[in-house]
Amino acid sequence: MPSYAHTIANETHRFETLAELMAKATPERSGDRLAGVAAADDEERAVAQMALADLPLATFLDDHLIPYEADEVTRLIIDDHDARAFAPVAHLSVGGFRDWLLSDLADTATLGALAPGLTPEMVAAVSKICRNQDLILIASKCEVVTRFRDTIGLSGRLSTRLQPNHPTDDPGGIAASLLDGLMYGNGDAVIGINPATDSPAAVETLVRMLDEVIRTYGIPTQSCVLTHVTTSIELINRGVPVDLVFQSIAGTEAANRSFGVDLAVLAEGHAAGLSLGRGTVGDNVMYFETGQGSALSANAHHGVDQQTLEARAYAVARKFRPLLVNTVVGFIGPEYLYDGKQIIRAGLEDHFCGKLMGLPMGCDICYTNHAEADQNDMDVLLTLLGVAGITFIMGIPGSDDVMLNYQTTSFHDALYARKVLGRRPAPEFEHWLRDTGIFDRDERRLLGTGLPAPFARAIERIGA
């Protein structure tokens, strides 16, 4: 196994493995400290970044951070690599790749064609030597479009997940949050509920409730109850009207096993979702969530830094053509991302890496109450991700999820981002908002009159 070195001021700094080089080149974060893989200080980090910048991009095709024979995610990455798509940048170093990405040569069409040729390790490597503004500029040039009942990810659009969680799955509480969110123009990415219990019967009740609302009022969106993929498969086999199949995923085989899944189970879920044919404008049926630190928390990180492992999770997602991928960036806690600065950086990295790999990236811009962060930090990340072209964000009553007990973005935050950045909802959903009288027909503003009375009464009846 080769080692990697960089000489500066007549002193040679050596990194014994590619995993060590990658980890020590990573911007500071508490999770890598916890794992014992971080650079000792800023000087070592800077040297590692210089060494990484000189590394040929093609190195990652031969030197695998986690052995091919030991990990099915590594095998997926290598076996599915598109050499033809990679060819235009195959001669570049990591630093040269960064320069190329920042140039006008890397336009939207070129980056879209390149995506299948990029491995997660390549995009993680280049992210480590990018400033925040680089991550924003490059990601803003990527356009990833997916479809189910509406069209997500078009340029100039910003979608939201309406998240009407309730600590006891009470239909009335869920209906109240659902009504509130729709009144603020939220929900075009998905109406997604984290269930308080994973029992098939409870999940089925929620699925049928959301399906009734969407069908009865012709809302061009999709629902998802974020249950385990095997529960979704069971419900689909029983004819329950499941729109999107959800699963949390990670970047190593062992970490995914801790979630109770592997690639075969995900493939089964994907096939089950497709079998129902419920999409009207497309067939992207999967919804994945990820987050830096998940592999470390499962003791399944193989000595690899958490940001690189997060990017490897995107290779898993890419295999199944998802409608949505969501990095829940600050959810795991300060043990992995200590404060607002680390959360902001991680959110920008995740969006950058996912978009370069051709994924429809969203971000749950969030933090836990014991992190050194606050809502002002989330405002900063929301604004930066909006500039970077984020596909979707969360919409939750008052930014406070009363079921999962963490802080995120509100229905009002989505309005702020759309107004200040000139973003619009998905086109089909936008038309529905106008037709129902929620948005002004010409200026795309909230009218402030709420939903039409029959629609409001119907939601109240469902929640009764």
Side-chain angles (χ1 to χ4, degrees):
M1 182 178 295
S3 61
Y4 300 88
H6 185 78
T7 300
I8 183 170
N10 296 319
E11 181 180 357
T12 298
H13 301 259
R14 190 169 300 280
F15 305 92
E16 295 303 321
T17 65
L18 185 53
E20 180 188 358
L21 175 62
M22 290 278 279
K24 291 187 173 180
T26 305
E28 174 74 14
R29 63 207 58 201
S30 53
D32 290 339
R33 290 271 173 221
L34 182 65
V37 300
D41 51 34
D42 289 341
E43 180 181 356
E44 185 177 33
R45 183 174 298 108
V47 171
Q49 289 172 341
M50 287 187 282
L52 185 60
D54 290 339
L55 191 73
L57 201 59
T59 302
F60 295 101
L61 298 175
D62 300 316
D63 192 349
H64 306 148
L65 302 184
I66 302 173
Y68 180 93
E69 61 278 3
D71 186 89
E72 69 171 359
V73 177
T74 300
R75 293 193 290 275
L76 170 68
I77 292 165
I78 299 304
D79 294 348
D80 281 11
H81 181 251
D82 188 330
R84 180 171 296 182
F86 179 58
V89 297
H91 63 289
L92 295 175
S93 66
V94 173
F97 185 43
R98 171 188 171 274
D99 293 342
W100 180 85
L101 287 169
L102 289 168
S103 76
D104 291 337
L105 295 174
D107 59 17
T108 298
T110 302
L111 291 174
L114 177 65
L118 298 177
T119 71
E121 291 85 356
M122 292 174 188
V123 298
V126 75
S127 76
K128 295 176 192 299
I129 61 168
C130 283
R131 292 172 57 184
N132 286 358
Q133 67 173 243
D134 300 337
L135 300 176
I136 293 167
L137 173 60
I138 294 165
S140 73
K141 297 192 286 184
C142 299
E143 183 180 65
V144 181
V145 179
T146 56
R147 297 176 174 88
F148 189 78
R149 289 200 190 96
D150 57 355
T151 305
I152 307 297
L154 291 169
S155 179
R157 305 279 176 169
L158 172 63
S159 295
T160 65
R161 169 184 162 189
L162 201 171
Q163 185 170 309
N165 291 347
H166 191 277
T168 63
D169 289 339
D170 175 67
I174 290 171
S177 293
L178 176 57
L179 175 61
D180 192 21
L182 290 171
M183 287 175 64
Y184 283 98
N186 280 249
D188 53 335
V190 64
I191 301 172
I193 300 174
N194 297 91
T197 173
D198 209 35
S199 76
V203 172
E204 180 176 349
T205 297
L206 296 176
V207 169
R208 292 192 182 279
M209 185 185 84
L210 294 178
D211 179 61
E212 181 179 350
V213 173
I214 289 172
R215 282 191 301 104
T216 301
Y217 294 95
I219 309 173
T221 191
Q222 36 283 326
S223 70
C224 185
V225 178
L226 280 67
T227 186
H228 195 271
V229 62
T230 55
T231 303
S232 294
I233 293 169
E234 177 183 341
L235 296 178
I236 290 169
N237 290 338
R238 288 174 17 207
V240 176
V242 173
D243 285 346
L244 302 185
V245 176
F246 169 80
Q247 185 54 48
S248 294
I249 56 173
T252 71
E253 179 180 348
N256 283 323
R257 206 162 45 232
S258 76
F259 291 145
V261 299
D262 56 21
L263 296 179
V265 170
L266 295 177
E268 184 181 355
H270 185 225
L274 289 172
S275 73
L276 295 181
R278 293 179 57 78
T280 56
V281 298
D283 65 351
N284 299 114
V285 299
M286 302 298 286
Y287 175 19
F288 294 116
E289 287 193 344
T290 67
Q292 289 193 28
S294 59
L296 175 57
S297 69
N299 195 29
H301 63 292
H302 298 271
V304 179
D305 69 273
Q306 66 183 38
Q307 188 257 332
T308 299
L309 293 178
E310 170 73 2
R312 282 171 55 97
Y314 303 155
V316 176
R318 183 168 61 178
K319 178 70 174 177
F320 301 104
R321 301 190 303 108
L323 180 76
L324 306 165
V325 179
N326 178 36
T327 169
V328 192
V329 66
F331 184 75
I332 302 182
E335 298 82 4
Y336 304 93
L337 295 169
Y338 178 72
D339 57 13
K341 181 177 181 180
Q342 292 187 14
I343 292 171
I344 290 167
R345 173 70 191 192
L348 294 175
E349 289 169 346
D350 294 350
H351 177 248
F352 167 93
C353 290
K355 277 292 187 65
L356 273 184
M357 291 177 63
L359 288 174
M361 288 301 299
C363 184
D364 192 340
I365 301 163
C366 63
Y367 63 100
T368 58
N369 287 314
H370 63 307
E372 290 295 321
D374 59 26
Q375 212 64 37
N376 286 326
D377 295 312
M378 300 306 102
D379 287 349
V380 171
L381 181 54
L382 168 63
T383 306
L384 294 177
L385 285 172
V387 174
I390 192 80
T391 299
F392 71 104
I393 61 170
M394 302 296 108
I396 295 173
S399 305
D400 185 2
D401 192 300
V402 297
M403 198 278 281
L404 294 174
N405 293 311
Y406 76 115
Q407 308 303 310
T408 179
T409 46
S410 71
F411 302 143
H412 304 76
D413 292 334
L415 280 183
Y416 150 75
R418 283 172 174 165
K419 286 184 176 181
V420 76
L421 298 172
R423 301 289 194 265
R424 297 158 60 182
E428 300 89 345
F429 194 80
E430 183 180 29
H431 292 320
W432 180 83
L433 290 170
R434 294 178 187 173
D435 291 344
T436 56
I438 300 171
F439 273 19
D440 179 278
R441 183 166 296 276
D442 297 318
E443 299 186 33
R444 302 187 305 277
R445 297 178 302 180
L446 283 175
L447 289 178
T449 56
L451 293 176
F455 186 42
R457 285 197 299 270
I459 291 187
E460 290 169 2
R461 185 182 72 253
I462 291 169

